[in-house]
């Protein structure tokens, strides 16, 4: 059912997940108050919900602890999925089935099977489903992509992305397991992930460093950088992937590596992602970013700058600052719902960009190089690696099997 939006009709939005990025989304939607209104928010942790409501200072936004009650409301048009990664797919699929449009945070999903399912659910229910890879909405990232695609940098043979910092030695520390704090529905928070005792590091923000909920830095930050590379290079499926590293220095209870290098092989270029959490010496002068290496020049791009460095004066040097990213992404999501504008990061694009770092993590976890058959959405001849494409979803939070099939 397609709704028509008149000039005075506002898109009614609910935010699911009231943590750091949920609050950020509230601020973005508030900038477009003529086109939308946030009418409901949801969190399984009462403290997070209360803090969110206090920050926004509005009594007309209705709080929920179970997102399914939001999906039952006929007066809500769209939801923002701002929960940890392990919830993205199930909530997005439930929302599509309930007729809602979705802006789901990155990485699109916790594992490859869930990403495929999100694409098919969005297609089947004809919903607007965007992924929160906001860098694509930044004008200077678009300019970087144009430069790469123009051929001015010559033949690009390799691209390097990285995030380096020094959290040694304690990292996120080693708090003991305990009872969950009052007001946190820990069983609901775990959702499709295995049942286990509460640990503060597994919950707010630091869930990123545990395999049951996320994929460490490679999917947390790597996905943003890799997304831009795939867009610029015009390819989304690597053929081979290897990754090595380990948890070599940090003495905390994280599971994901503090040191990792992943390499993906594409048609005739390679992509490398480096993460160091135990040494912050900048690479090419920066703590994070993307470097494209061409025969005529190199291009650096990050959220706040774009620079071109010539090779043998074959291309002019160039420099500019950054540009807004979150605001135009939100604006585009609303225009897609109201006017049928194409999304800047639709679910297919976001899922493809998520699969690449997920494959990096799989290669790391099995400890050998893997071959990716994108057409079949399978790793070639490696049972152990293929098992990591999906998970054992804890009941009742499974993903309908009919959606789990290749996306081409
Ligand atoms: N696009 C970006 O730049 C960007 C930046 C930060 C985070 N993110 C992504 O946003 C997501 C959330 O990250 P965060 O840093 O805000 O985490 P966070 O821990 O601060 O917030 C997540 C919130 O979701 C709640 N939650 C968990 N399960 C829920 C459920 N089933 N229903 C409702 N609420 C639930 C938690 O209690 C918590 O309050 C992650 O996937 C992360 O990768 C994206």
């Amino acid at each position: 059912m397609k709704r028509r939006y008149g000039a005075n009709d506002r898109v009614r939005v609910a935010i699911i997940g009231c943590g750091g990025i949920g609050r950020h989304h509230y601020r973005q939607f508030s900038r477009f108050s003529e086109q939308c209104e946030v009418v409901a928010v949801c969190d399984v942790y009462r403290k997070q919900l209360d803090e969110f409501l206090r920050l926004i200072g509005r009594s007309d936004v209705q709080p929920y602890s179970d997102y399914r009650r939001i999906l039952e409301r006929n007066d809500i048009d769209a939801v923002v999925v701002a929960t940890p990664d392990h919830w993205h797919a199930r909530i997005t699929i439930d929302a599509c089935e309930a007729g809602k449009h979705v802006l789901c945070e990155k990485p699109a999903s916790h594992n490859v099977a869930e990403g495929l399912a999100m694409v098919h659910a969005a297609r089947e229910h004809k919903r607007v489903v965007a992924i929160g890879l906001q860098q694509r909405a930044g004008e200077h990232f678009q300019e970087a992509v144009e430069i790469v695609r123009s051929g001015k940098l010559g033949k690009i043979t390799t691209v390097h992305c990285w995030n380096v910092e020094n959290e040694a030695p304690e990292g996120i520390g080693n708090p003991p397991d305990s009872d969950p704090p009052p007001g946190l529905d820990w069983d609901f928070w775990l959702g499709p992930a295995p049942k286990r005792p509460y640990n503060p590091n597994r919950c707010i923000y630091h869930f990123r460093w545990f395999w049951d909920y996320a994929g460490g830095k490679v999917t947390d930050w790597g996905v943003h950088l890799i997304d831009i590379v795939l867009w610029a290079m015009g390819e989304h499926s690597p053929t081979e992937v290897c990754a090595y590293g380990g948890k070599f220095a940090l003495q905390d209870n994280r599971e994901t590596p503090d040191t990792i290098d992943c390499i993906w092989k594409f048609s005739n270029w390679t992509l490398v992602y480096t993460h160091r959490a135990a040494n912050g010496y900048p690479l090419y002068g920066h703590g994070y970013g993307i470097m494209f290496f061409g025969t005529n020049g190199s291009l650096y791009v990050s959220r706040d700058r774009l620079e071109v460095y010539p090779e043998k004066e074959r291309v002019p040097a160039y420099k500019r600052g950054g540009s807004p990213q979150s605001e135009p992404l939100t604006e585009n999501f609303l225009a897609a719902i109201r006017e049928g504008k194409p999304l800047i990061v639709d679910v297919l694009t976001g899922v493809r960009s998520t699969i690449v770092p997920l494959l990096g993590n799989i290669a790391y976890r099995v400890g050998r190089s893997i071959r990716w058959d994108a057409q079949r959405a399978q790793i070639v001849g490696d049972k152990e690696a293929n098992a990591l494409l999906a998970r054992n979803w804890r009941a009742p939070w499974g993903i309908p099997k009919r959606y789990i099939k290749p996306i081409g």
Side-chain angles (χ1 to χ4, degrees):
M1 193 176 39
K2 208 163 183 168
R3 189 181 146 188
R4 282 178 175 278
Y5 287 86
N8 299 319
D9 291 330
R10 298 198 287 174
V11 178
R12 293 167 65 83
V13 179
I15 295 177
I16 302 171
C18 292
I21 203 71
R23 296 169 198 194
H24 179 74
H25 281 295
Y26 179 82
R27 290 190 291 274
Q28 301 311 314
F29 281 100
S30 302
R31 294 170 190 252
F32 301 100
S33 56
E34 284 175 9
Q35 296 162 41
C36 68
E37 58 183 326
V38 175
V39 296
V41 292
C42 174
D43 206 291
V44 296
Y45 192 176
R46 187 75 222 183
K47 181 168 152 261
Q48 294 284 93
L49 204 50
D50 289 345
E51 267 177 28
F52 186 103
L53 291 170
R54 205 173 46 245
L55 276 170
I56 69 174
R58 278 177 54 189
S59 54
D60 58 331
V61 172
Q62 217 169 333
Y64 288 85
S65 55
D66 185 332
Y67 72 91
R68 293 171 296 187
R69 303 290 86 77
I70 286 183
L71 300 185
E72 285 162 6
R73 276 180 60 170
N74 287 328
D75 65 326
I76 289 179
D77 307 305
V79 298
V80 176
V81 181
T83 61
D85 313 1
H86 68 291
W87 266 112
H88 289 180
R90 177 61 197 243
I91 298 178
T92 297
I93 292 166
D94 284 349
C96 288
E97 290 183 343
K100 313 298 181 205
H101 303 297
V102 184
L103 170 53
C104 176
E105 261 311 331
K106 52 46 68 174
S109 60
H110 168 268
N111 55 70
V112 172
E114 290 179 349
L116 307 178
M118 289 164 80
V119 173
H120 289 293
R123 281 180 187 163
E124 185 174 316
H125 300 283
K126 300 190 168 57
R127 296 296 88 192
V128 171
V129 180
I131 303 298
L133 287 162
Q134 72 273 17
Q135 289 181 170
R136 279 205 192 214
E139 190 199 291
H140 77 289
F141 279 108
Q142 291 164 16
E143 189 178 349
V145 168
E146 275 161 29
I147 295 171
V148 169
R149 291 190 162 195
S150 72
K152 285 181 197 150
L153 301 174
K155 166 67 195 149
I156 291 170
T157 55
T158 188
V159 187
H160 198 172
C161 308
W162 69 98
N163 295 94
V164 297
E165 64 226 313
N166 195 340
E167 298 175 49
E170 1 8 74
I172 57 173
N174 252 311
D177 289 351
S178 64
D179 287 337
L184 168 61
D185 186 340
W186 179 236
D187 189 71
F188 205 157
W189 191 100
L190 288 170
K195 194 159 179 63
R196 66 158 340 276
Y198 171 79
N199 185 287
N201 274 354
R202 288 177 170 263
C203 192
I204 301 301
Y205 189 83
H206 293 308
F207 64 83
R208 286 165 167 75
W209 323 123
F210 295 86
W211 298 118
D212 280 348
Y213 325 118
K217 205 71 163 186
V218 180
T219 52
D220 182 50
W221 243 106
V223 70
H224 279 300
L225 307 171
I226 290 165
D227 177 51
I228 298 297
V229 177
L230 301 180
W231 181 25
M233 298 300 287
E235 280 187 52
H236 47 73
S237 295
T239 51
E240 286 172 52
V241 190
C242 68
Y244 294 97
K247 194 180 160 196
F248 297 136
L250 299 186
Q251 293 156 22
D252 57 17
N253 67 348
R254 89 179 56 199
E255 293 172 345
T256 57
D258 59 29
T259 307
I260 186 167
D261 284 278
C262 308
I263 308 178
W264 296 263
K265 185 172 180 294
F266 288 85
S267 57
N268 55 8
W269 57 283
T270 56
L271 167 62
V272 183
Y273 174 76
T274 296
H275 170 52
R276 292 196 310 253
N279 177 292
Y281 188 78
L283 277 168
Y284 321 109
H286 303 280
Y288 82 99
I290 309 170
M291 276 288 259
F292 293 86
F293 294 101
T295 48
N296 294 349
S298 310
L299 182 147
Y300 172 76
V301 65
S302 69
R303 291 184 176 178
D304 57 14
R305 71 180 73 195
L306 159 55
E307 292 184 18
V308 175
Y309 313 105
E311 285 275 305
K312 303 178 182 171
E313 295 172 21
R314 289 176 184 169
V315 64
Y318 176 68
K319 222 185 239 199
R320 67 160 282 182
S323 55
Q325 296 140 47
S326 296
E327 190 179 336
L329 190 89
T330 307
E331 189 176 23
N332 170 253
F333 178 61
L334 292 171
I337 295 172
R338 291 167 60 93
E339 303 152 32
K341 260 202 173 172
L343 284 170
I344 294 173
V345 194
D346 62 11
V347 64
L348 177 63
T349 305
V351 164
R352 281 174 167 163
S353 291
T354 297
I355 287 175
V356 174
L358 284 173
L359 292 174
N361 275 340
I362 292 175
Y364 166 74
R365 293 180 77 181
V366 297
R368 57 183 167 266
S369 160
I370 57 174
R371 282 195 293 140
W372 177 236
D373 179 344
Q375 284 306 316
R376 290 172 52 236
Q378 288 285 301
I379 293 160
V380 182
D382 191 327
K383 215 169 150 203
E384 189 193 354
N386 271 314
L388 293 173
L389 293 174
R391 83 175 314 157
N392 290 318
W393 293 272
R394 190 167 64 107
W397 303 116
I399 302 291
K401 285 224 162 49
R402 69 195 165 90
Y403 295 132
I404 305 177
K405 51 191 179 187
I407 51 177

